[in-house]
Amino acid sequence: MRKRDREATRARLLEAARLRFARDGYDATSVRDIAGDSDVDATLIFRYFGSKKRLFEEATAADLAPDLLDGPNEELVARMVRTVVDQDWTEYGGEHPLVALLRSSAHEDTRRHLREEVCHTYVNALRDLAEGDDAELRAELLSAWLVGIGILRSVVATPALARARTADLAPHVAAVATGLLGRPMSGAVDRPEA
């Protein structure tokens, strides 16, 4: 019973931390805030995680692109857009986990983690699809556009992007991705019929 309580408390702390860090960023989030949200004493954070920094690392160590590389290559960009637009990120306050990292990017460790996530998850996959000499540059340009879509949707909340669904974006995604990658890309993800 004691082990289960420990695991449940740890899970509650991680859940509260994800929401706080996503909404407020690292600097604006205190250990007391997270403990209060979890209805526990702040000392438990240090007992379970050792430090606020370690809690942040665990709380933001999500799989940013579930099943991203599964499926046809020509649908990769559409799958990326779908993770930003249609993926349920409730545990991060409804925003993509990259937003939490961006809100905390004043710290070198976070910038390094963000760079690794974006480069290894997005840029490398797009670079491998790009045709031509400057594939890396075009992959980074497309990645910047995709990250910008996420920021305008959730942080800035521009009206058209905030209410747009993947299907609304599909023709534009296809046009931009095809132009930048130099090969036909789809803006929509075909779903197998049931």
Side-chain angles (χ1 to χ4, degrees), residues 71-188:
N73 286 341
E74 66 274 6
E75 294 178 359
L76 175 63
V77 176
R79 289 192 301 274
M80 289 177 172
V81 170
R82 192 177 70 209
T83 66
V84 171
V85 176
D86 294 333
Q87 186 78 28
D88 180 12
W89 296 109
T90 305
E91 69 268 28
Y92 290 91
E95 297 176 334
H96 194 282
L98 281 179
V99 174
L101 293 174
L102 286 169
R103 285 193 173 117
S104 304
S105 62
H107 298 273
E108 180 55 35
D109 290 345
T110 304
R111 279 196 307 274
R112 185 174 55 255
H113 178 62
L114 185 58
R115 187 171 37 254
E116 289 169 3
E117 288 292 339
V118 169
C119 290
H120 293 298
T121 302
Y122 297 99
V123 176
N124 289 348
L126 293 172
R127 183 200 60 222
D128 293 345
L129 289 180
E131 296 179 354
D133 295 335
D134 58 352
E136 188 164 2
L137 174 61
R138 289 181 288 117
E140 288 183 19
L141 284 169
L142 187 50
S143 297
W145 184 61
L146 294 171
V147 169
I149 289 171
I151 291 170
L152 284 177
R153 276 182 61 82
S154 65
V155 177
V156 180
T158 58
L161 266 178
R163 70 177 170 267
R165 304 309 310 153
T166 301
D168 302 324
L169 301 175
H172 310 294
V173 169
V176 171
T178 297
L180 281 172
L181 297 179
R183 62 183 289 171
M185 297 296 289
S186 172

Side-chain angles (χ1 to χ4, degrees), residues 31-43:
V31 168
R32 287 181 193 262
D33 292 333
I34 295 167
D37 293 347
S38 304
D39 289 329
V40 299
D41 188 87
T43 58

Side-chain angles (χ1 to χ4, degrees), residues 1-13 44 47-49:
M1 181 73 168
R2 188 149 176 86
K3 184 174 184 174
R4 176 177 275 174
D5 289 344
R6 176 182 165 85
E7 290 171 5
T9 300
R10 193 175 196 287
R12 277 198 335 267
L13 287 166
L44 287 179
R47 184 180 303 158
Y48 294 159
F49 300 97

